[in-house]
Amino acid sequence: AQSVTQLDSHVSVSEGTPVLLRCNYSSSYSPSLFWYVQHPNKGLQLLLKYTSAATLVKGINGFEAEFKKSETSFHLTKPSAHMSDAAEYFCVVSDPANTGKLIFGQGTTLQVKP
Amino acid sequence: DTGVSQDPRHKITKRGQNVTFRCDPISEHNRLYWYRQTLGQGPEFLTYFQNEAQLEKSRLLSDRFSAERPKGSFSTLEIQRTEQGDSAMYLCASSLAGNNSPLHFGNGTRLTVT
């Protein structure tokens, strides 16, 4: 069965410093992986997706993620945090059957301090 | 881009009452998904439709829950005889068919059962 584990429930950084949100996946197939962001009282927004092309994936708002098969990881990074990045982030794996169904991790709350 | 819209945004109901939520997907999207999100957790899959056909239902979807998409456009999710444990955010998403088509989420309906 597909699953993802987000290793930190809460991450706090200062504005202008790097962001690292960690995610490990479990999959018996070559997975499709995503990161979604959820701001308070807003819908989930797709940040980026990996679908077996380039292992380094660039997303919106300066975020990137690197797929590492040997480590079964898909960590999300950003070189410099902005106050507006404060939100809940979800690492997501898709169902291998052609349903488009997504399986979400527990989420990581990113706090950005001025 | 009108996005995915959900109505109502908030619903407060008393235990034992029935509630119905509506989701209007992006017009050209033939897949529609319902998820439930409780506080501090990632969204959990409930069910999905391709056009008007309901193709999969999660075990989370008890007999008190029913979803429809009668004309392959908007969808409704009904909960009968609500319980306090039904309190959650109910999220709707839509996509084109295809395993790597991104899901577009609505802002959700927050249900509180008193």
Side-chain angles (χ1 to χ4, degrees):
Chain A
Q2 320 293 103
S3 67
V4 288
T5 301
Q6 293 183 244
L7 301 176
D8 307 291
S9 59
H10 188 101
V11 169
S12 181
V13 301
S14 297
E15 190 176 20
T17 64
V19 175
L20 170 64
L21 305 184
R22 299 182 296 163
C23 173
N24 286 352
Y25 69 89
S26 173
S27 175
S28 53
Y29 300 87
S30 180
S32 292
L33 293 161
F34 308 78
W35 277 96
Y36 276 81
V37 61
Q38 187 175 38
H39 287 92
N41 301 315
K42 296 281 185 67
L44 287 154
Q45 182 182 19
L46 178 66
L47 277 179
L48 50 81
K49 66 177 182 179
Y50 166 77
T51 55
S52 74
T55 56
L56 182 62
V57 183
K58 294 186 184 297
I60 62 171
N61 301 334
F63 284 94
E64 293 183 348
E66 186 171 6
F67 175 74
K68 292 188 176 180
K69 186 174 180 179
S70 61
E71 299 176 10
T72 61
S73 69
F74 189 58
H75 301 335
L76 182 70
T77 61
K78 182 173 181 177
S80 176
H82 191 274
M83 295 297 292
S84 62
D85 294 328
E88 190 80 11
Y89 291 80
F90 293 98
C91 182
V92 183
V93 64
S94 69
D95 179 34
N98 187 21
T99 65
K101 185 173 71 176
L102 299 180
I103 298 146
F104 284 76
Q106 299 275 65
T108 298
T109 302
L110 177 64
Q111 179 187 22
V112 182
K113 296 179 287 187
Chain B
D1 179 8
T2 57
V4 177
S5 63
Q6 293 188 245
D7 184 68
R9 290 294 305 272
H10 304 274
K11 179 70 177 179
I12 300 173
T13 191
K14 292 184 177 180
R15 189 175 54 189
Q17 297 295 304
N18 299 344
V19 294
T20 300
F21 311 141
R22 177 181 171 121
C23 172
D24 287 89
I26 293 172
S27 58
E28 62 267 28
H29 286 180
N30 49 6
R31 284 183 174 172
L32 186 148
Y33 303 81
W34 285 99
Y35 283 79
R36 180 172 68 188
Q37 185 178 20
T38 53
L39 202 61
Q41 302 293 317
E44 296 172 296
F45 170 79
L46 292 178
T47 188
Y48 94 100
F49 294 83
Q50 181 152 320
N51 301 313
E52 65 275 10
Q54 188 173 18
L55 296 186
E56 186 174 342
K57 292 170 63 173
S58 162
R59 293 175 186 174
L60 294 175
L61 218 61
S62 75
D63 291 345
R64 297 184 297 105
F65 288 69
S66 62
E68 294 183 347
R69 195 183 184 197
K71 297 182 180 179
S73 56
F74 74 91
S75 175
T76 58
L77 177 68
E78 181 183 16
I79 309 174
Q80 296 182 324
R81 304 181 304 282
T82 52
E83 302 173 356
Q84 286 188 321
D86 298 331
S87 296
M89 177 75 85
Y90 290 84
L91 297 168
C92 177
S94 69
S95 75
L96 296 169
N99 208 32
N100 295 323
S101 295
L103 269 62
H104 296 258
F105 283 85
N107 288 344
T109 294
R110 181 168 295 283
L111 173 66
T112 301
V113 181
T114 61

